[in-house]
Amino acid sequence: MNSETGKTALITGASSGIGQELAKLFAQDGYNLVLVGRSDEKLDRLGEVFKSNYGTDQVTVITKDLSQEDAAQDVYNQVKAKGITVNVLVNDAGVGLYGLFATDTDWEREKSMIHLNVLSLTQMTKLFLYDMLARNEGKILNLASLLSITPSPLMAVYAGTKAYVYNFTQSLVNELKDTNVSITALLPNATDTDFFNKANAENTKITDELQDPVMVAKAGYDALMAGKPKVVPGGLKNKSYEVMAYVAPQEALAALMRDKMSQKPEPEEKEPTISLAWGIGFGIAVIAGIALTIGYKNASPYDKVRYKYKAKSAGDALSNTLSSVFDKVAHSVVDAYQTTKGKAEKFAHKEEEMLEEATA
């Protein structure tokens, strides 16, 4: 890693999970740290580990519950009072809540979640970004989620907050394009942290396929340092989910996510496997891609530019292995989505030609 001795990174949610792994990466790179969280004891211990293992010069701990009103402003004021210049801001702190929105979840917890995931993140970004622009130097990493680009029944409000984070971040990417300040969105899949326990979702199917927070943090760190607008950790599988989120019907995505977020069945029950469900989703993505190509041929010059961009994005993320997946699940997809059946059959023989034209 590069040595960044003298620079300071502020990380919220640093006491565990992805935030802790990110803090470790900054410490290894020679950054001074400002660690923000609700447990000063955990953060103090973490700071001592970083000083001992990586020779971190300064570790400042700020104990603050960012779900409270004006908490972000107080953090900023404390940093300024200590004369600390924040070169990198990491907005990692966030929580989730599981259950049916209308009947299961508690409004007070949802209100607190919205404040933490949205309001405090936005205010932290605004306060520190202003100073970064004044120096024309700085980086920001916002923790979004793969759920930020897809419906998520049973975690509807959480997914909504992450959709905000992603859209907000990508809007700022454009606003900052002519400066030396960059902002990056991290879109991980379900990760092996304490998130699901705190969200009351510890027995959901998705917890059987959790990803390593070390891998997620490293992908986010590398993207941040490279000034990339976003990163989806986890290789082809998760990037395929991303492409599917852009091209598959929203109703299908919601149904698949409802299944992944449902409670695990009793041992004697038999249900379709998660891999089959996502395989069907990949098939939908391929069919939808064909439909996009058809639309391209009949589109205006302006819309053709948009279609080419979508096709290129899909090509960057999908590999040829999706073809074999499509072969296995195509019949199930066609049965479930009659609206795409005619188009798929009529233009199947032209698929290769059209895709080559769309991506040219």
Side-chain angles (χ1 to χ4, degrees), residues 96-142:
L97 185 60
Y98 177 81
L100 293 169
F101 172 72
T103 57
D104 294 348
T105 56
D106 176 71
W107 167 243
E108 291 302 319
R109 288 188 63 184
E110 285 169 332
K111 182 169 66 173
S112 177
M113 176 173 62
I114 293 169
H115 200 293
L116 174 61
N117 294 4
V118 174
L119 293 180
S120 286
L121 178 145
T122 305
Q123 190 174 18
M124 290 282 287
T125 301
K126 191 173 188 70
L127 292 168
F128 287 101
L129 178 58
Y130 185 89
D131 292 344
M132 290 178 182
L133 286 174
R135 303 191 307 269
N136 197 26
E137 174 272 333
K139 296 180 181 294
I140 299 174
L141 179 66
N142 286 337

Side-chain angles (χ1 to χ4, degrees), residues 200-347:
N200 299 327
E202 63 274 11
N203 194 45
T204 53
K205 294 179 182 179
I206 190 66
T207 58
D208 286 335
E209 48 181 293
L210 298 179
Q211 297 189 312
D212 183 1
V214 175
M215 178 275 293
V216 171
K218 183 64 166 61
Y221 188 85
D222 290 346
L224 172 72
M225 292 304 160
K228 295 181 179 179
K230 67 175 181 179
V231 59
V232 178
L236 174 64
K237 178 182 177 181
N238 287 342
K239 289 178 175 61
S240 298
Y241 291 169
E242 180 191 10
V243 172
M244 185 173 67
Y246 294 141
V247 300
Q250 291 293 292
E251 294 84 354
L253 291 172
L256 290 171
M257 291 309 302
R258 176 65 179 267
D259 179 73
K260 291 174 77 70
M261 291 307 304
S262 63
Q263 294 290 308
K264 296 176 185 178
E266 295 298 325
E268 65 272 13
E269 293 183 24
K270 295 181 179 180
E271 293 190 0
T273 64
I274 291 295
S275 59
L276 173 59
W278 280 109
I280 293 172
F282 292 152
I284 294 169
V286 174
I287 291 177
I290 296 172
L292 282 174
T293 308
I294 295 167
Y296 168 83
K297 290 182 69 68
N298 298 316
S300 66
Y302 171 77
D303 286 332
K304 283 185 177 182
V305 174
R306 296 172 57 217
Y307 277 115
K308 280 189 174 183
Y309 174 77
K310 289 184 179 181
K312 183 178 185 300
S313 296
D316 289 340
L318 287 175
S319 77
N320 292 332
T321 58
L322 287 184
S323 297
S324 61
V325 175
F326 173 70
D327 290 339
K328 295 178 182 179
V329 302
H331 293 297
S332 298
V333 175
V334 171
D335 289 341
Y337 296 95
Q338 293 295 330
T339 56
T340 61
K341 180 177 180 180
K343 289 182 180 180
E345 291 177 346
K346 182 177 179 181
F347 293 97

